[in-house]
């Protein structure tokens, strides 16, 4: 595959993860050896730590229980002089697939499909009968930083993530830091910093900010905003998601903004999670497919 700077839509979604070896939780052992004069301070620190862990748990518990999320939507992408809006659909099945389909306005014919699975990425150009397919290690930045499908899934599903893990478990709660106002949750991992802004009363995530800084690879940032929450079972799912990705890794500043405005997300299971590419389609480089898609 070509380098990431040519992956217009895919870049805006995937070029920001770092799933290096997980940072171990830091345990303060000094209080064990310290004389009893530090008991009060230790008690307050423990209370603060417990309150933080409880809030992180509250945020983690806001995620929907649904196995599937399906919705028609309006898809808008902006990059440089490009500003494209088309109808589309989103099909997600937890731990299996994230599929975004784009259609020709009025006609309703599928023009493109972008699909993520635990094993890799698939981009199909229906108009030119071409496709890209490969695993995450074929993308240079992602190979170096160990991106996995589950980090991307967490962003689409409006939930916390731990780089390199398939989900956030109770034992992971101490990895997160919580701001004094119980509104911001933070996780640092290598060159990456993850910040989640929440509604303090409910713990619902309303924004995720991911920042990457490297002397060699430049700086990249992702701002993912959530709104228009709609009930899904006993939880709420954001029907509007806006994410903006900026990077200097391409030597010149590049910015991609994508807006997904969903009509009515539902938990529907009557669809096939596997896409089979027709033998009539030609496998090509990323730049070939995405260059043509942005001119349809």
């Amino acid at each position: 595959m070509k380098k990431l700077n040519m992956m217009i839509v895919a870049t805006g979604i995937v070029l920001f993860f770092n799933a290096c070896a997980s940072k171990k939780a830091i345990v303060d052992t000094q209080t064990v050896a310290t004389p009893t004069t530090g008991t009060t301070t230790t008690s307050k620190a423990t209370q603060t730590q417990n309150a933080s862990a409880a809030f992180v748990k509250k945020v983690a518990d806001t995620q929907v229980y649904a196995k599937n999320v399906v919705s028609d939507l309006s898809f808008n992408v902006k990059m440089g002089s490009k500003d494209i809006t088309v109808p589309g659909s989103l099909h997600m099945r937890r731990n299996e697939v994230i599929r975004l389909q784009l259609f020709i306005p009025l006609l309703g014919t599928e023009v493109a499909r972008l699909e993520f699975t635990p094993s890799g990425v698939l981009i199909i150009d229906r108009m030119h009968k071409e496709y890209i397919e490969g695993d995450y290690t074929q993308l240079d930045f992602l190979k170096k930083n160990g991106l996995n499908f589950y980090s991307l899934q967490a962003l689409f599903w409006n939930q916390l993530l731990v780089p390199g893990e398939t989900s956030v478990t109770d034992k992971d709660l101490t990895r997160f830091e919580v701001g004094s106002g119980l509104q911001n949750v933070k996780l640092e991992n290598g060159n990456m910093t993850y910040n989640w802004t929440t509604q303090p009363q409910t713990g619902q995530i309303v924004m995720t900010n991911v920042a990457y800084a490297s002397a060699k690879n430049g700086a990249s940032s992702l701002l993912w905003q959530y709104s228009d929450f709609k009930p899904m079972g006993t939880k709420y799912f954001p029907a509007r998601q806006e994410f903006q990705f900026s990077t200097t890794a391409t030597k010149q500043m590049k910015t991609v903004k994508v807006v997904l405005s969903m009509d009515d997300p539902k938990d529907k299971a009557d669809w096939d999670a596997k896409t089979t590419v027709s033998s009539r389609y030609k496998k090509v480089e990323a730049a070939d497919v995405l260059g043509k898609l942005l001119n349809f």
Side-chain angles (χ1 to χ4, degrees):
M1 284 188 176
K2 296 288 187 182
K3 296 299 183 180
L4 294 180
N5 60 313
M6 296 305 296
M7 299 201 59
I8 309 300
V9 178
T11 297
I13 300 177
V14 301
L15 181 59
F16 44 78
F17 294 106
N18 179 40
C20 302
S22 300
K23 182 177 67 176
K24 294 182 179 179
I26 299 175
V27 179
D28 187 352
T29 57
Q30 294 180 348
T31 55
V32 176
T34 302
T36 54
T37 54
T39 301
T40 301
T41 301
T42 301
S43 178
K44 290 181 179 179
T46 300
Q47 291 176 1
T48 300
Q49 185 179 44
N50 290 341
S52 295
F55 184 73
V56 175
K57 174 65 173 175
K58 181 178 182 178
V59 174
D61 286 345
T62 62
Q63 68 183 56
V64 298
Y65 297 131
K67 173 70 173 178
N68 303 274
V69 174
V70 177
S71 182
D72 292 332
L73 56 77
S74 172
F75 173 92
N76 173 261
V77 59
K78 295 178 181 178
M79 181 176 181
S81 61
K82 299 291 184 182
D83 187 344
I84 300 170
T85 300
V86 295
S89 69
L90 180 69
H91 287 72
M92 300 194 295
R93 181 162 293 163
R94 190 181 296 277
N95 298 332
E96 292 187 43
V97 66
I98 299 168
R99 178 186 300 154
L100 182 63
Q101 295 166 266
L102 306 181
F103 305 111
I104 297 176
L106 300 179
L107 297 179
T109 304
E110 184 181 49
V111 65
R113 180 175 297 203
L114 174 61
E115 186 169 282
F116 296 90
T117 64
S119 61
V121 182
L122 174 66
I123 303 175
I124 301 177
D125 175 0
R126 297 291 191 193
M127 293 186 68
H128 302 96
K129 292 183 169 54
E130 296 173 343
Y131 73 99
I132 306 162
E133 186 175 33
D135 61 49
Y136 299 106
T137 63
Q138 290 179 280
L139 300 176
D140 187 59
F141 181 93
L142 305 185
K143 180 179 179 180
K144 291 178 180 178
N145 292 285
L147 171 135
N148 67 31
F149 163 81
Y150 303 97
S151 298
L152 179 61
Q153 176 174 259
L155 288 166
F156 271 98
W157 286 74
N158 186 230
Q159 58 194 59
L160 296 175
L161 67 91
V162 173
E165 302 296 332
T166 59
S167 62
V168 177
T169 62
D170 287 347
K171 66 181 179 61
D172 296 318
L173 300 183
T174 55
R175 301 188 187 189
F176 297 88
E177 300 175 22
V178 178
S180 58
L182 290 182
Q183 182 176 12
N184 297 307
V185 177
K186 180 180 179 181
L187 175 66
E188 293 187 353
N189 192 82
N191 292 327
M192 304 290 286
T193 301
Y194 301 80
N195 281 285
W196 292 269
T197 301
T198 72
Q199 295 176 342
Q201 293 76 18
T202 64
Q204 192 80 57
I205 297 170
V206 294
M207 182 171 66
T208 301
N209 195 331
V210 184
Y212 170 86
S214 166
K216 182 179 180 180
N217 298 317
S220 300
S221 65
L222 171 75
L223 185 65
W224 199 302
Q225 297 175 287
Y226 307 93
S227 58
D228 191 19
F229 286 86
K230 296 182 182 297
M232 182 170 286
T234 60
K235 305 292 183 176
Y236 291 86
F237 185 82
R240 182 178 175 86
Q241 301 189 18
E242 303 179 38
F243 44 99
Q244 179 171 307
F245 173 74
S246 300
T247 183
T248 61
T250 53
K251 305 306 179 184
Q252 294 182 339
M253 174 64 73
K254 297 289 185 181
T255 300
V256 178
K257 182 177 181 180
V258 175
V259 179
L260 305 179
S261 299
M262 304 175 211
D263 294 343
D264 190 19
K266 298 291 185 182
D267 182 2
K268 295 182 179 180
D270 56 345
W271 55 280
D272 191 350
K274 182 176 177 57
T275 293
T276 301
V277 181
S278 171
S279 60
R280 300 192 304 258
Y281 282 49
K282 177 184 177 183
K283 188 174 183 178
V284 298
E285 299 288 349
D288 298 332
V289 168
L290 293 177
K292 292 175 181 177
L293 286 178
L294 286 178
N295 286 288
F296 73 82

